[in-house]
Amino acid sequence: MNSVKKYIAEFIGTMVLVVLGCGTAMLVGCDAKNGGGYILTALAFGLVIVGMAYCVGNISGCHINPAVSLGVLLSGGMSAVDFIAYIISQCLGAFAGAGVLAAIFGLGGVNDQTGGFGSNGLAGVNGSVVAGLIVECFLTFVFVLTILGVTSKKANHGSFGGLVIGVGAVRNRRDHGDRAVIGHVLVLVPQQFDAHRIADGDGGEVGLLDL
């Protein structure tokens, strides 16, 4: 039952992130002509992550992103079964969130300013898929590395660890702009304001990585 609760928490967290994060991008737009949309979208993603950390962090660890779950798996923080279930839950949550946005914008006759449900594009790299992948992979690497470092048991960041990660989430999303090609790099704000712990696959708490 505890495992099911974690999967449901990941589903809900990812759905809310897509609805509010991508929904903001769809409303305000993210392009060179509307530069303010970048910071508004970045803040939306960052603040949603913080909010979901308070809501579901004590249940699932608030991964709500496959990159974070992969980092936890590789550091021994969760089992392979839970990892697969987390990924499935996150994907289903993302689909559900997209469905909610489709209903809202479709029934309400609201114009999608991004033209693609807030998805990232390749305009910033002149349409190059390879360049887009490089940007995405590099920023994902830096961001997950930041998460692992901040949540290390050897670091004494305490409650300030979440602040560091939260600011990184906003910065990362802004830097992505329309340059990245696949996915959004999200962020883990550890549960109970403790940057050294996250929920593991058995309902306990473990460090992400002992650096």
Side-chain angles (χ1 to χ4, degrees):
M1 181 59 71
N2 287 335
S3 293
V4 174
K5 289 182 179 179
K6 292 178 183 179
Y7 308 151
I8 294 176
E10 288 296 302
F11 173 89
I12 294 174
T14 309
M15 178 179 66
V16 172
L17 184 70
V18 169
V19 172
L20 298 183
C22 293
T24 299
M26 293 167 68
L27 283 173
V28 303
C30 291
D31 54 49
K33 295 180 181 180
N34 189 20
Y38 286 133
I39 189 62
L40 292 175
T41 302
L43 287 172
F45 273 95
L47 292 175
V48 169
I49 289 293
V50 173
M52 286 298 98
Y54 284 106
C55 294
V56 303
N58 62 324
I59 300 175
S60 67
C62 191
H63 297 189
I64 59 178
N65 179 274
V68 175
S69 295
L70 179 60
V72 177
L73 174 68
L74 295 178
S75 65
M78 67 191 308
S79 67
V81 172
D82 273 332
F83 170 72
I84 295 173
Y86 266 49
I87 299 301
I88 293 174
S89 299
Q90 292 158 2
C91 289
L92 291 177
F95 281 123
V100 171
L101 288 175
I104 294 174
F105 280 74
L107 296 175
V110 183
N111 182 41
D112 178 2
Q113 298 293 331
T114 66
F117 285 86
S119 60
N120 293 325
L122 295 168
V125 290
N126 297 318
S128 172
V129 174
V130 175
L133 283 171
I134 292 174
V135 171
E136 187 77 14
C137 291
F138 177 77
L139 291 179
T140 300
F141 168 76
V142 172
F143 204 70
V144 173
L145 184 63
T146 300
I147 294 171
L148 295 177
V150 169
T151 56
S152 171
K153 289 183 178 180
K154 292 184 178 180
N156 190 26
H157 297 297
S159 59
F160 289 99
L163 177 61
V164 174
I165 298 174
V167 172
V170 174
R171 173 73 185 186
N172 185 275
R173 180 59 196 173
R174 191 193 66 162
D175 285 348
H176 267 53
D178 58 0
R179 293 176 293 173
V181 59
I182 52 173
H184 297 295
V185 179
L186 310 182
V187 56
L188 167 68
V189 180
Q191 61 180 347
Q192 298 177 359
F193 315 101
D194 188 344
H196 298 161
R197 300 180 298 174
I198 62 169
D200 66 14
D202 298 318
E205 294 175 353
V206 297
L208 270 172
L209 185 63
D210 192 7
L211 298 175

